Amino acid sequence: MQQELGYKEKGGQFTKFGQWYADRVQDTQYRNAPWCDMFLAWAADKAGLTQYVGEFAWTPSHAAWFIKQGAWTQQPEPGALVFFDWRGGKSYKGIDHVGVVERVDGKKIHTIEANVDRVWLKRKTRETDKVVGYGVPRLVKAGAAEKPDEIRSTERPFISTPRAEPVPGSPLDVLGTPPALLAAMVLMTIVLSLRVTGRRRGTHRRLAWPRPWNAPTGRRTEKSHEVLPTPEKRQPREKATVGATKASAARVPAGSGQAATRHPTLTRRKPYEPT
């Protein structure tokens, strides 16, 4: 492990540890994945300690494995794996980094960590306020005789974390279910069909559009409600009087000795002519 100090990842986050792990689990995505935990898996394999250290790429799964083995503690010691949550949480579900303790100095720990300062494998001195807990390989080894099957089964890269208890549902949750959505669609279809049927039966009123200025129309009086003829159909009074006079003159018998009274032709006075 110490021989690898100073190792730096290549472009695209590629490392030889990620390549080794990808070949190990037959999954190429690990070639360019965060590699702090894959480095520990690589080092444990080189030392022949995989069954006591574990072989993981995801730090919450690795911590859960130590908890399951009864090898989880809050006391640091050399050789223990230290798990961090940079947000200060104390649940293993929030763990996002891991290293190995090299020595303990009071309230500080000296570690070897991979994928730190973005690209390096190097020594670090850490405070313990961001530490979630420690996984101790020697405790795993001590219990190996009692639980050999469980240790062999943990060579998988991930362990299913305990599921949270389901939250009691609300009666309003049914509104988002498929049956509720189907009922809403059926109701909307019925409403739209009723509206269309009402329009076809004549219940829909049309807006009254204005008539053209010269379109004929009737006019009602307020008292009798009679429809008066339009101006185009009425004849002027003057022309009606002249016609009646001509008709009476035509009925006078010829030779009666009476001179036919001729009325002067009435002319229509323009509004602006003086009387």
Side-chain angles (χ1 to χ4, degrees):
M1 180 179 288
Q2 294 179 354
Q3 291 81 356
E4 299 298 328
L5 290 171
Y7 180 87
K8 183 179 180 182
E9 72 179 36
K10 308 301 185 290
Q13 207 172 3
F14 174 85
T15 64
K16 65 179 183 181
F17 312 113
Q19 179 66 65
W20 171 86
Y21 196 91
D23 295 339
R24 183 88 167 182
V25 299
Q26 297 297 305
D27 191 341
T28 58
Q29 68 172 322
Y30 293 104
R31 296 176 57 188
N32 304 93
W35 50 289
C36 62
D37 211 358
M38 291 189 291
F39 162 68
L40 297 180
W42 176 88
D45 179 73
K46 296 299 181 183
L49 300 174
T50 298
Q51 60 178 340
Y52 309 127
V53 176
E55 188 174 277
F56 295 87
W58 190 41
T59 51
S61 286
H62 203 171
W65 179 78
F66 276 110
I67 294 171
K68 187 176 181 180
Q69 305 304 317
W72 185 256
T73 181
Q74 298 298 320
Q75 297 298 323
E77 62 178 68
L81 275 64
V82 54
F83 294 86
F84 299 93
D85 181 353
W86 300 132
R87 291 165 293 186
K90 296 304 178 182
S91 171
Y92 75 94
K93 297 180 182 179
I95 291 172
D96 44 26
H97 185 62
V98 64
V100 59
V101 178
E102 193 172 26
R103 61 187 178 92
V104 180
D105 185 12
K107 294 184 178 180
K108 294 183 179 182
I109 55 176
H110 299 266
T111 63
I112 296 176
E113 303 172 25
N115 196 25
V116 292
D117 299 334
R118 297 186 179 180
V119 295
W120 293 100
L121 194 162
K122 60 194 303 187
R123 285 188 170 99
K124 299 288 288 187
T125 301
R126 300 285 193 186
E127 301 286 347
T128 58
D129 57 325
K130 304 296 183 182
V131 174
V132 179
Y134 303 88
V136 185
R138 69 172 182 84
L139 296 179
V140 177
K141 184 178 180 180
E146 301 177 3
K147 298 179 288 187
D149 294 337
E150 292 185 11
I151 293 176
R152 283 196 296 269
S153 67
T154 56
E155 293 183 2
R156 296 170 299 175
F158 297 99
I159 286 183
S160 300
T161 57
R163 294 185 178 180
E165 295 183 0
V167 180
S170 170
L172 297 178
D173 293 342
V174 72
L175 297 178
T177 59
L181 296 176
L182 180 60
M185 293 175 62
V186 172
L187 181 61
M188 183 63 68
T189 304
I190 293 174
V191 171
L192 293 176
S193 63
L194 291 176
R195 292 188 63 181
V196 172
T197 304
R199 290 183 180 182
R200 290 178 179 175
R201 292 178 179 176
T203 58
H204 181 71
R205 297 181 60 187
R206 295 183 177 179
L207 296 176
W209 294 94
R211 297 176 179 272
W213 67 274
N214 59 351
T217 179
R219 181 171 56 88
R220 296 178 180 271
T221 60
E222 296 181 358
K223 294 183 179 181
S224 63
H225 300 288
E226 295 180 354
V227 178
L228 299 179
T230 57
E232 289 81 1
K233 296 182 178 180
R234 289 187 298 175
Q235 297 180 355
R237 288 184 177 180
E238 294 83 358
K239 292 184 179 181
T241 304
V242 173
T245 304
K246 290 182 178 181
S248 59
R251 287 195 298 268
V252 177
S256 60
Q258 297 179 357
T261 304
R262 298 183 64 183
H263 295 277
T265 302
L266 297 178
T267 59
R268 187 174 182 180
R269 181 175 55 83
K270 298 182 179 178
Y272 52 82
E273 290 181 350
T275 56

